[in-house]
Amino acid sequence: MAELLIPAVLFVGSLGALLLASDVFTSAAEQIGLSLGVSPFIIGVTVVAGGTSLPELTSSILAVLRGAPEIVMGSVVGSNISNMLLVLGTAAVVGGNILVIRELVEVDLPLLVASAVFLLLATWGSPFSWYEGLLAVVALGVYIQFTIREKDRYVGMLIEEMVEESGEADSEEPRPQTDTRTYARLVLSIGVVFAAAYGLVESIITVSTTLQIGTEIVAITAVAVGTSLPEIVVSIVAVRRDLPGLAVGNVLGSNLYNSFLGTGLPSLAGDLVVPTSIRSYGLPAMVLITVLYFFITQDREITRWEGMTLLLLYVVFIVNLGSFL
């Protein structure tokens, strides 16, 4: 197993650098957007939400260009399942019961189910092609536009009520300032993201070749868990600080971006081949877990017991995945 040492070190190092650089990029882009007067909410649903999927997105694009498109679906399916079972399960068990706001239950969660079903149907009998990817990107754009419009309407109503009560509107907060260092961080982090993503893809190919398993198996397990670690920390902290909406919204936004953008953009570079393990097991499991996620949130709460069930289901998913090795 000595031949696995170097690719394993490359895998861990590339994954760590990818996560760190993605965080720096998101932070710099957020600061630049605020300095230009862009609404914090718009930045949240675009830059911040998209930033959580940046590691999967960059590695997926490079995987297609490298001739290993099966990594894409493995990464997307694995990340989505890990988010719903591992991230939310850990957050509920460690942080306590998670409350779910009504807007997520009525609008966002049904769309999440639809996105999972869309991936299953689009890849059932054929590769995921460019026109399906274009449709996925458009669907994400419609979701973002709808979210922004609804938020603007809600905020507008609040401002009108505040003006009626106080007789005057609050003055705008000063914009944060940026300098050349912020732009330098943005550019350098992009370079590190792509370099680290390249190293990650190469290590996945080497490890899978050495172990004689499919690259999608490495992506659906090791990559998915690795990219979910920051979200586990964020979700636990959010629950403990009595910000449950952030914990659930973090997972929901990440999954939507993975399903639509994480498959849509890479498919424009080439058809996404879907291995048997993903088509016959990974995707159906993702749909069932998404539907389960939808139903357990109907009472607008994820309890500790439900969190333990989610963690148990993740163990069952990984164990059953072993039959495709």
Side-chain angles (χ1 to χ4, degrees), residues 95-320:
N97 294 357
I98 303 175
L99 299 180
V100 184
I101 61 175
R102 188 190 326 166
E103 288 76 7
L104 291 179
V105 175
E106 294 179 349
V107 178
D108 299 75
L109 282 170
L111 180 60
L112 181 63
V113 174
S115 70
V117 174
F118 166 74
L119 284 184
L120 179 65
L121 295 178
T123 59
W124 189 252
S126 62
F128 193 82
S129 302
W130 67 268
Y131 54 87
E132 292 163 326
L134 188 60
L135 180 61
V137 174
V138 170
L140 179 62
V142 171
Y143 166 71
I144 293 175
Q145 193 274 337
F146 171 80
T147 303
I148 293 173
R149 188 179 71 245
E150 288 300 301
K151 180 68 175 181
D152 287 342
R153 182 176 65 85
Y154 177 67
V155 171
M157 292 170 58
L158 289 181
I159 292 177
E160 289 180 1
E161 291 178 1
M162 291 171 59
V163 171
E164 289 178 0
E165 293 176 1
S166 63
E168 57 181 0
D170 294 336
S171 58
E172 292 186 0
E173 295 183 2
R175 297 179 184 176
Q177 300 299 314
T178 57
D179 51 26
T180 54
R181 288 178 297 180
T182 306
Y183 288 92
R185 281 182 15 237
L186 183 73
V187 174
L188 288 175
S189 62
I190 292 176
V192 174
V193 162
F194 278 94
Y198 178 81
L200 184 66
V201 171
E202 290 298 321
S203 65
I204 291 173
I205 294 174
T206 304
V207 169
S208 63
T209 301
T210 303
L211 296 178
Q212 297 183 341
I213 59 175
T215 53
E216 76 280 359
I217 301 297
V218 180
I220 203 173
T221 53
V223 175
V225 172
T227 55
S228 294
L229 291 178
E231 290 165 344
I232 291 176
V233 176
V234 169
S235 297
I236 292 175
V237 172
V239 174
R240 287 186 168 177
R241 290 182 178 178
D242 200 23
L243 296 171
L246 178 59
V248 178
N250 179 40
V251 168
L252 194 148
S254 178
N255 280 19
L256 282 175
Y257 270 80
N258 284 340
S259 296
F260 288 140
L261 199 63
T263 57
L265 287 185
S267 70
L268 300 181
D271 288 351
L272 305 183
V273 178
V274 184
T276 302
S277 58
I278 302 298
R279 178 180 286 114
S280 61
Y281 177 62
L283 277 167
M286 185 185 74
V287 172
L288 291 176
I289 292 167
T290 305
V291 173
L292 173 66
Y293 179 31
F294 174 80
F295 280 112
I296 67 173
T297 55
Q298 291 305 299
D299 60 354
R300 297 174 56 189
E301 184 179 35
I302 302 175
T303 66
R304 268 197 170 96
W305 286 108
E306 289 171 335
M308 293 175 64
T309 302
L310 293 178
L311 292 177
L312 179 61
L313 287 175
Y314 188 72
V315 173
V316 172
F317 169 76
I318 294 298
V319 170
N320 287 335

Side-chain angles (χ1 to χ4, degrees), residues 10-29:
L10 178 61
F11 176 87
V12 174
S14 298
L15 182 60
L18 183 58
L19 293 173
L20 180 61
S22 297
D23 183 63
V24 173
F25 170 82
T26 302
S27 176

Side-chain angles (χ1 to χ4, degrees), residues 32 63 81:
I32 292 172
I81 291 176

